[in-house]
Amino acid sequence: MLFWILSALMTVAVAVPLLWPLMRAAGRTHHDDEGEAAVYRDQLRELERDKAGGLISPEDAAYARAEIGRRLLAVSGDETPLPAASAANAAPARRTAYTLSQAFVLLCLPAVGLYVYLLTGSPDTPSAPLAARIENPGDDVTLLIAKVERHLATSPEDGAGWDVLAPVYVRVGRLADAELAYRNAIRLLGPGADRMNGLAETLVAVNDGIVTEDARQAFEASVKLQPDNPRADYYLALALEQAGSKADALVAFQNIAKASPPTAPWMELINRHIEANSAGMALADAPVAEAGSAKPLGAPTAEDVAAAQAMSEGDRSQMIRGMVDSLDAKLKEDPNNFDGWMRLVRSHAMLKQPDRAVEALKEGLKTFPASGAEGQQLIAAARDLGLSVEEIVQ
């Protein structure tokens, strides 16, 4: 009942401002308009008498008649001049229009609002105070947060409360509050693996994806608590990549790939990082030709390296593959280049092309046999890269 009473009061509050101009206009029509119109009509009749008696020139009479007619039109509310009898009959029509407008505001608008509410609202839902709704928030995240916050305001040492609230804060984007909640949960309940991961990931999000030192330490603590921890392993590998340690990052990402099922949902991301770090290492390992010196076989110039730094990962990877293919072609033309074969085997391995790396090793051993020192170095490098060389050696 209280709801309907409030609805009625709100309807009246909205209707009064809408009706007020109509009420004023209607009042003016009933009391003032007819009197003013009669005055203007008398002025017109008097003007005609003055014109007939020669008291006013025809030009002045025409001007005065036009001005009085304009005022008469303003009172009658019509756009075209009306004879006196028609102007007198206009008032009832205007009153009828005002009455219909008032009826629309009083009846139609509330009826439309009620219809929309019955379609989209919940009139049968019993009313409940805020405290009761907070106690039973259902799927309302805002009320859930309010409920836990109100509890923690009186029981700040409840670690379970902070543990529940922290991931909810992350979900709604309140990262600073999430960090505080995770730290309180860790302080009160201890550093569980999920809590340390949650805190560290929150720190990464706060710093726009950068794995800070605090985040790295939290991930390392999580790995100690739970060794089989791909979430923490990923961010630790990402920290190495962001620090510029491409070789260490590559090994870390490869270890994640080896420990993960092939269908794991994170494997696509891991493979992208492996390819990017492999391409970066291939570029870094290639000797750069100094200005004024002879360019080593297949090596990029300083300008090539500078241009590669400005490329996207995909373009840089494509550039590296093109350089490796170029080196392969040049070695086929002039195979007597030990450093070139070493770079070619290493580059194919880094680009996740083990078959091509083994094929390059076989071709290199044709010029530098396994019985010689150079051949032994080629084989040792291939073993370090994880290539299968046993059949080749035999």
Side-chain angles (χ1 to χ4, degrees), residues 250-333:
L250 176 62
V251 173
F253 282 118
Q254 288 175 335
N255 288 338
I256 297 174
K258 292 177 182 178
S260 302
T263 58
W266 56 82
M267 280 305 301
E268 181 179 356
L269 176 63
I270 298 300
N271 287 331
R272 286 204 302 268
H273 282 282
I274 290 175
E275 182 176 356
N277 285 284
S278 297
M281 284 188 60
L283 180 62
D285 287 343
V288 178
E290 300 293 340
S293 65
K295 177 181 177 181
L297 181 61
T301 64
E303 290 77 10
D304 293 335
V305 175
Q309 298 303 320
M311 292 180 179
S312 65
E313 290 294 342
D315 291 340
R316 187 182 301 118
S317 177
Q318 185 176 358
M319 175 185 174
I320 296 299
R321 292 177 188 275
M323 292 170 55
V324 172
D325 291 340
S326 176
L327 175 60
D328 191 1
K330 291 178 180 179
L331 285 173
K332 288 179 180 178
E333 295 177 1

Side-chain angles (χ1 to χ4, degrees), residues 230-247:
R231 287 170 60 191
D233 291 337
Y234 166 77
Y235 282 104
L236 290 173
L238 183 62
L240 293 171
E241 180 182 297
Q242 291 175 349
S245 302
K246 300 291 185 181

Side-chain angles (χ1 to χ4, degrees), residues 72-161:
L72 182 59
L73 287 174
V75 172
S76 67
D78 294 329
E79 294 293 336
T80 57
L82 294 175
S86 299
N89 294 330
R94 291 197 302 274
R95 286 195 294 272
T96 301
Y98 290 137
T99 302
L100 292 176
S101 300
Q102 292 171 345
F104 177 78
V105 172
L106 287 174
L107 299 177
C108 294
L109 289 182
V112 171
L114 178 61
Y115 175 73
V116 172
Y117 172 72
L118 291 175
L119 282 179
T120 62
S122 302
D124 297 330
T125 301
S127 61
L130 177 61
R133 286 187 285 127
I134 289 178
E135 289 300 324
N136 298 282
D139 294 330
D140 193 324
V141 177
T142 303
L143 288 179
L144 174 62
I145 293 175
K147 176 181 179 180
V148 180
E149 285 178 336
R150 190 177 69 169
H151 167 72
L152 291 173
T154 57
S155 304
E157 299 303 306
D158 182 2

